[in-house]
């Protein structure tokens, strides 16, 4: 509980601090992620972007408080004052750092734009899943990132709260503890 409170205080303190640099944690095993990394480093930057493989020893050393398994699951960007952005917010702050795309980032930071950014993140996740699935069907042994002690690169993904994602079917919900069909329905 104290650790949660300390993280909340640190996040609150970081909220008022200007962002002077961002570290983008990307999945080095994902071709889409590495393509975007290469594209980002070629763009004129108003705020310096540093690219670090998610889940790497360097990422673990630099950001010991992060859930590094989650950084392989969802794009994560860390500000120089400890700000942490995930999912659509991470895409938006990364675009904000780029000279040619800051205006787009401002448009995406609106409620309607945030829905569009979230859709882009979900589309990228689906594409990653299709690529990983194709590599596995083709007989490749690798592909995908290590997530939670298992391979993950977009195959079926289950969260502890009952939500799961399968690239073929999309999102579905099965309440926790009901796998046997014997849970109470109250």
């Amino acid at each position: 509980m104290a650790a949660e409170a300390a993280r909340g205080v640190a996040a609150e303190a970081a909220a008022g601090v200007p962002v002077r640099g961002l570290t983008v944690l990307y999945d080095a095993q994902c071709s889409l992620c590495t393509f975007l990394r290469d594209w980002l480093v070629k763009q004129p930057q108003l705020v310096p972007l540093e690219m670090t493989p998610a889940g790497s020893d360097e990422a673990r050393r630099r950001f010991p408080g992060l859930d590094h398994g989650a950084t392989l699951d969802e794009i994560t960007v860390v500000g120089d004052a400890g700000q942490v952005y995930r999912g659509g917010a991470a895409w938006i702050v990364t675009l904000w750092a780029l000279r040619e795309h800051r205006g787009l980032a401002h448009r995406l930071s609106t409620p309607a734009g945030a829905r569009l950014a979230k859709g882009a993140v979900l589309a990228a996740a689906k594409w990653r899943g299709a690529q990983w699935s194709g590599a596995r069907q083709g007989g490749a042994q690798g592909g995908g990132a290590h997530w939670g002690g298992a391979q993950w690169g977009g195959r079926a993904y289950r969260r502890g709260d009952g939500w799961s994602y399968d690239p073929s079917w999309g999102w579905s919900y099965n309440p926790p503890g009901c796998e046997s069909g014997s849970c109470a329905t109250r």
Side-chain angles (χ1 to χ4, degrees):
M1 195 67 149
E4 264 182 51
R7 278 193 298 261
V9 170
E12 220 174 272
V17 177
V19 176
R20 292 195 165 87
L22 295 167
T23 300
V24 178
L25 300 173
Y26 69 95
D27 183 350
Q29 301 299 312
C30 166
S31 61
L32 175 62
C33 302
T34 57
F35 172 83
L36 290 171
R37 174 209 57 203
D38 293 345
W39 178 80
L40 285 169
V41 298
K42 293 176 186 172
Q43 301 302 306
Q45 300 171 4
L46 294 171
V47 175
L49 295 175
E50 184 177 339
M51 306 297 158
T52 302
S56 67
D57 290 340
E58 178 185 356
R60 290 177 193 284
R61 179 186 53 76
R62 290 183 57 201
F63 310 111
L66 279 181
D67 176 353
H68 290 279
T71 65
L72 288 166
D73 179 39
E74 182 173 41
I75 182 174
T76 304
V77 176
V78 182
D80 59 334
Q83 308 93 327
V84 177
Y85 307 90
R86 294 190 193 321
W91 284 105
I92 293 169
V93 76
T94 301
L95 289 172
W96 172 83
L98 304 176
R99 186 179 70 210
E100 305 294 324
H101 300 285
R102 186 164 274 188
L104 174 60
H106 285 290
R107 288 189 298 279
L108 290 174
S109 67
T110 66
R115 286 191 299 275
L116 181 63
K118 182 177 181 177
V121 169
L122 290 173
K126 186 169 183 166
W127 186 90
R128 285 180 71 197
Q131 296 305 305
W132 191 85
S133 177
R136 294 290 285 176
Q137 290 170 0
Q141 298 299 312
H146 293 282
W147 182 78
Q151 284 278 11
W152 191 82
R155 290 189 306 163
Y157 158 66
R158 288 170 183 68
R159 294 181 4 180
D161 63 359
W163 283 98
S164 62
Y165 176 78
D166 184 302
S168 302
W169 303 102
W171 286 97
S172 62
Y173 181 73
N174 185 21
C178 294
E179 290 83 17
S180 66
S182 62
C183 63
T185 58
R186 289 188 206 167

